[in-house]
């Protein structure tokens, strides 16, 4: 991969796309009560929202195909974007941040599914722990500042997240479902579109201090604080705030063949993470960016949302 990227860089392939100055928007609005919307008639890309117990709203994604992963020029562009960070350089971004794990771009067909509009909140998670199904959030061990009802539930392990989603009648989204939700019908680079805007997500930076309050929050934000960063389907916080567990085992690349409803490798040591967080730099907030961790790891910048079969 290093030879491939170096050769493409030398030849000028995949030059970074020009990005105009972002609009002066600092959205900090909260999610208002959402009306129930009927599904629109038409193609396979329409989304619809409905209320669903025990309190989280769900967005419906119709069946259809999309391109998952990144091409070599897109990976090179991500490395260049990363190298523009305060501590970024080409070698570090190429070798340490694993953007090559987004290869290869391939066609995926997904059956219809539902996904939570927001990350699961502390209040929602506590309905599960209060019922004796989920373990308590370990905030008393030094994370009490994250113990806020409308913050995303963090310091959850992969088994904790899976247990909660099963309790509400769903499961963790597959990696393909998560990426389709983030890309939208048009295959956007970021959930809101193809041009980065630092005021549309709760992000960090690649620096000695990886926190960045220029978006209005130094650390975590309440869910739905960046409504203008939503997808066209109305799904929020798919970039930044907290990175999210998904169902799949991690593999360092994709198969190039077209697939239907993929579920990832059948085994592995680590699980996939998606979306980046308040401590991640902008290249890590792209819809195709991938992370990975051991399933029992707990982090203050890591949460989840659930997905559901359409039936």
């Amino acid at each position: 991969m290093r030879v491939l990227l170096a050769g493409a860089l030398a030849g000028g392939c995949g030059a970074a796309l020009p990005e105009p100055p972002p609009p002066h928007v600092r959205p900090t609005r909260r999610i208002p009560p959402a009306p129930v919307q009927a599904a629109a008639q038409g193609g396979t890309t329409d989304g619809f929202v409905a209320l669903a117990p025990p309190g989280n709203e769900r967005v419906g994604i119709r069946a259809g195909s999309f391109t998952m992963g990144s091409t070599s020029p897109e990976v090179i562009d991500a490395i260049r974007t990363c190298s523009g960070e305060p501590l970024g350089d080409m070698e570090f971004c190429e070798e340490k941040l694993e953007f090559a794990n987004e290869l290869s771009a391939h066609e995926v067909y997904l059956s219809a599914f539902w996904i939570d509009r927001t990350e699961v909140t502390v209040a929602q998670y506590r309905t599960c722990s209060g019922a004796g199904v989920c373990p308590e959030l370990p905030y008393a061990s030094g994370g009490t500042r994250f113990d806020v009802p409308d913050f995303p539930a963090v310091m959850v392990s992969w088994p904790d997240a899976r247990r909660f989603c099963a309790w509400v009648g769903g499961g963790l989204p597959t990696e393909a479902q998560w990426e389709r939700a983030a890309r939208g019908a048009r295959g956007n680079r970021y959930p809101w579109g193809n041009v980065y805007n630092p005021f549309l997500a709760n992000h960090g930076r690649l620096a000695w201090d990886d926190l960045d309050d220029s978006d209005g929050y130094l650390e975590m934000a309440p869910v739905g604080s960046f409504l203008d960063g939503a997808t066209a389907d109305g799904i929020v916080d798919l970039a930044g705030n907290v990175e999210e567990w998904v169902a799949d085992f991690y593999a360092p690349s994709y198969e190039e063949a077209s697939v239907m409803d993929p579920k990832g490798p059948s085994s592995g040591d680590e699980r996939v993470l998606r979306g980046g967080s308040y401590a991640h730099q902008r290249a890590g907030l792209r819809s195709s960016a991938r992370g990975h961790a051991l399933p029992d790891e707990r982090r203050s910048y890591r949460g989840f949302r659930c997905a559901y079969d359409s039936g």
Side-chain angles (χ1 to χ4, degrees), residues 183-274:
R183 283 187 177 276
R186 297 185 177 183
N188 290 333
R189 182 185 302 180
Y190 301 97
W192 55 82
N194 290 318
V195 177
Y196 181 69
N197 186 325
F199 303 120
L200 298 185
N202 184 11
H203 59 80
R205 58 189 175 184
L206 183 59
W208 289 115
D209 180 1
D210 58 8
L211 301 180
D212 184 352
D213 65 358
S214 64
D215 52 53
Y217 297 90
L218 184 64
E219 290 186 313
M220 200 185 308
V223 300
S225 293
F226 295 83
L227 293 183
D228 291 334
T231 69
D233 295 318
I235 310 169
V236 297
D237 298 330
L238 285 170
N241 209 23
V242 298
E243 63 181 9
E244 301 176 13
W245 289 114
V246 296
D248 301 35
F249 284 110
Y250 173 73
S253 63
Y254 300 118
E255 295 184 5
E256 295 185 24
S258 300
V259 290
M260 179 175 180
D261 293 326
K263 299 184 183 302
S266 59
S267 62
D269 295 326
E270 297 180 302
R271 297 286 180 170
V272 177
L273 294 158
R274 285 302 200 116

Side-chain angles (χ1 to χ4, degrees), residues 297-308:
E297 288 184 6
R298 301 175 186 272
R299 296 291 183 267
S300 62
Y301 49 81
R302 186 174 298 160
F304 69 102
R305 73 182 73 213
C306 305
Y308 314 84

Side-chain angles (χ1 to χ4, degrees), residues 136-160:
E136 291 289 340
L137 296 167
Y139 293 164
S141 301
T144 55
R145 69 185 182 280
F146 303 121
D147 192 1
V148 179
D150 58 357
F151 274 12
V154 294
M155 302 183 192
V156 291
S157 67
W158 186 90
D160 293 349

Side-chain angles (χ1 to χ4, degrees), residues 68-120:
M68 182 177 179
S70 296
T71 63
S72 294
E74 288 170 333
V75 170
I76 293 165
D77 185 67
I79 294 170
R80 285 188 168 132
T81 298
C82 171
S83 68
E85 296 282 329
L87 279 182
D89 64 67
M90 295 296 289
E91 183 175 359
F92 177 85
C93 291
E94 179 181 342
E95 293 186 352
K96 301 297 184 183
L97 297 188
E98 301 181 306
F99 295 116
N101 68 6
E102 300 167 24
L103 296 170
S104 293
H106 58 292
E107 184 180 25
V108 173
Y109 177 88
L110 288 177
S111 302
F113 66 97
W114 297 77
I115 191 167
D116 286 343
R117 188 184 183 203
T118 73
E119 295 146 343
V120 172

Side-chain angles (χ1 to χ4, degrees), residues 18-30:
E19 296 188 355
H24 296 290
V25 178
R26 292 175 66 105
T28 56
R29 294 177 286 127
R30 305 292 299 284

